[in-house]
């Protein structure tokens, strides 16, 4: 039997229940992993509430973890028992042990600890595709990163600076603003009290941004469009404040022939060649020290509900991990 956090019905943090489950042997193409650290992500809350639908109920929460391979299913190549691996997969990660499709796992280099891997795979691979594939950031670009003290936000900020961009960040509190500055933000806007689009225009002397990385969604969408220069790109990649709805395509013309995309990591990582390239790039910037992965909170698996409350209550910064 294996400890796991299961969800039997969509709802608040209280629906996250610690249970003992049976784990079958790894199926064809799967590896069995004893998990050492489990990443907590805002997407975990979307599946818990039902904003994103799980394939079935009940389901085991969690979309990212790292650990040690303990068994190999039929036909698995390229992995051996004892390998340290990490992965992003849809659900099933809030558990002490699990089976994972080998195609979704990558081996960890010695420079990346299990905890760091669990804290950065989902967030860091997201930063990789946002900065390199959704919009290719170049030296001299000006980028706006919302929730810059958050999990994805801290990685985007540091990596964006490393690529030579001027980074403007938004943050919910003075403490978070200070953290965003420590991470390299050239300017930070307190978007709960200031009109951030107006401030972006002031800071950039009317030039505005090449790209806006917006994981906040509903409350920032309009302002994000207004923070872009002509032909700018809005990467609306999350819904921390609720999903964007009722979007009128026509407004993109007069605002400067803007581009809007709603990307998801799950388009990129099922392609093995992309996953390996993205993970390789992430491991490189983290191993070199250009991007530091901050773990602000560690909690036992049993405390998953408490951790979700903190994440949704805007109390966290950086990454939060659960330990089985
Ligand atoms: P964060 O650590 O960034 O936490 C979310 C932050 O959003 C909060 O700390 C808060 O920062 C800010 N926020 C603004 N409004 C609200 C609100 N009403 N309620 C709660 N938080 C709010 O989370 P993650 O790093 O895990 O994820 C960031 C975003 O990126 C999420 O929307 C997530 O879904 C998305 N994402 C998307 C992916 C994709 O491929 N599409 C992949 C990974 C993440 P502050 O207090 O400073 O405002």
């Amino acid at each position: 039997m294996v400890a796991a956090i299961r969800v039997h019905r969509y709802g608040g943090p209280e629906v996250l229940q610690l249970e003992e489950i049976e784990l079958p042997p790894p199926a064809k193409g799967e590896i069995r992993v004893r998990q050492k650290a489990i990443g907590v992500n805002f997407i975990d809350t979307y599946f818990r509430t039902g904003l994103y639908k799980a394939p079935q109920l009940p389901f085991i929460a969690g979309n990212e973890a790292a650990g040690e391979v303990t068994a190999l299913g039929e036909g698995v190549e390229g992995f051996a028992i004892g390998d340290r691996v990490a992965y992003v997969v849809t659900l099933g990660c809030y558990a002490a042990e699990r089976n994972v499709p080998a195609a979704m796992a990558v081996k960890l280099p010695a420079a990346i600890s299990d905890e760091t891997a669990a804290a950065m795979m989902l967030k860091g691979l997201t930063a990789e595709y946002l900065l390199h594939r959704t919009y290719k950031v170049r030296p001299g670009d000006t980028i706006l990163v919302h929730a810059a003290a958050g999990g994805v936000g801290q990685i985007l900020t540091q990596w964006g600076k490393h690529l030579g961009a001027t980074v403007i960040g938004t943050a919910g509190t003075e403490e978070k603003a200070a953290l965003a500055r420590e991470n390299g933000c050239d300017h930070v806007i307190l978007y709960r009290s200031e009109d951030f689009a107006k401030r972006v225009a002031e800071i950039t002397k009317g030039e505005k941004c090449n790209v806006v990385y917006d994981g906040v969604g509903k409350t920032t969408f309009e302002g994000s469009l207004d923070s872009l220069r002509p032909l700018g790109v809005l990467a609306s990649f999350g819904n921390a404040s609720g999903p964007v709805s009722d979007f009128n395509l026509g407004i993109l013309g007069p605002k400067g022939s803007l581009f809007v995309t709603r990307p998801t990591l799950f388009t990129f990582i099922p392609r093995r060649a992309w996953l390996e390239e993205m993970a390789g790039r992430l491991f490189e910037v983290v191993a070199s020290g250009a991007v530091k992965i901050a773990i602000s909170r560690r909690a036992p698996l049993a405390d998953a509900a408490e951790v979700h409350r903190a994440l949704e209550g805007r109390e966290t910064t950086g990454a939060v991990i659960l330990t089985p």
Side-chain angles (χ1 to χ4, degrees), residues 41-43 46 122-123 126 129 147 150-152 171-172 176 191 215-216 237-241 262-265 311-312 314 316 318:
N41 291 281
F42 222 91
I43 191 175
Y46 306 150
L122 198 151
K123 300 168 190 73
T126 299
Y129 86 70
V152 178
K176 288 185 178 186
Y191 61 172
V216 172
F237 67 100
N239 328 284
S241 68
R262 194 354 182 143
T264 167
L265 180 60
L311 187 60
E312 289 171 301
R314 305 172 81 157
T316 64

Side-chain angles (χ1 to χ4, degrees), residues 20-261:
E20 291 287 318
I21 56 147
E22 291 236 27
L23 186 63
K28 193 173 173 188
E30 287 185 339
I31 53 176
R32 183 169 177 143
V33 181
R34 185 177 306 126
Q35 302 201 129
K36 298 287 174 60
I38 301 157
V40 177
N41 291 281
F42 222 91
I43 191 175
D44 305 353
T45 71
Y46 306 150
F47 278 112
R48 195 206 69 222
T49 61
L51 176 66
Y52 293 179
K53 295 287 178 259
Q56 80 285 317
L57 288 163
F59 64 88
I60 298 173
N63 299 278
E64 153 188 63
E68 185 186 330
V69 177
T70 55
L72 304 175
E74 192 193 323
V76 169
E77 284 175 14
F79 291 92
I81 289 171
D83 279 351
R84 293 171 56 244
V85 294
Y87 35 84
V88 175
V89 272
T90 306
L91 301 175
C93 286
Y94 287 8
E97 211 160 346
R98 67 162 298 168
N99 297 320
V100 192
M104 300 304 287
V106 292
K107 284 197 232 177
L108 290 174
I112 308 290
S113 72
D114 297 331
E115 283 202 343
T116 299
M120 77 173 188
M121 283 301 282
L122 198 151
K123 300 168 190 73
L125 294 176
T126 299
E128 198 278 351
Y129 86 70
L130 288 172
L131 296 165
H132 288 279
R133 293 160 207 267
T134 300
Y135 173 86
K136 205 164 172 32
V137 172
R138 293 191 168 77
D141 281 353
T142 300
I143 73 175
L144 176 62
V145 175
H146 284 303
V152 178
Q154 288 201 20
I155 302 177
L156 278 176
T157 299
Q158 296 176 73
W159 206 336
K161 278 308 289 177
H162 182 62
L163 292 171
T166 295
V167 182
I168 305 174
T170 59
T173 64
E174 289 285 2
E175 293 72 29
K176 288 185 178 186
L179 194 53
R181 265 183 222 104
E182 274 169 38
N183 275 290
C185 276
D186 297 282
H187 310 271
V188 185
I189 304 168
L190 289 169
Y191 61 172
R192 295 179 86 165
S193 53
E194 294 179 282
D195 176 341
F196 73 84
K198 201 167 145 225
R199 287 283 299 123
V200 164
E202 284 165 11
I203 290 165
T204 61
K205 302 189 172 48
E207 289 291 312
K208 303 192 184 177
C209 301
N210 301 85
V211 61
V212 176
Y213 294 117
D214 188 343
V216 172
K218 190 174 178 170
T219 57
T220 45
F221 182 71
E222 294 252 358
S224 293
L225 291 177
D226 290 334
S227 302
L228 287 166
R229 65 182 65 176
L231 305 187
V233 175
L234 171 55
S236 176
F237 67 100
N239 328 284
S241 68
V244 175
S245 56
D246 300 330
F247 166 50
N248 170 11
L249 193 63
I251 63 175
L252 299 183
K255 285 187 189 291
S257 305
L258 303 179
F259 294 83
V260 176
T261 178

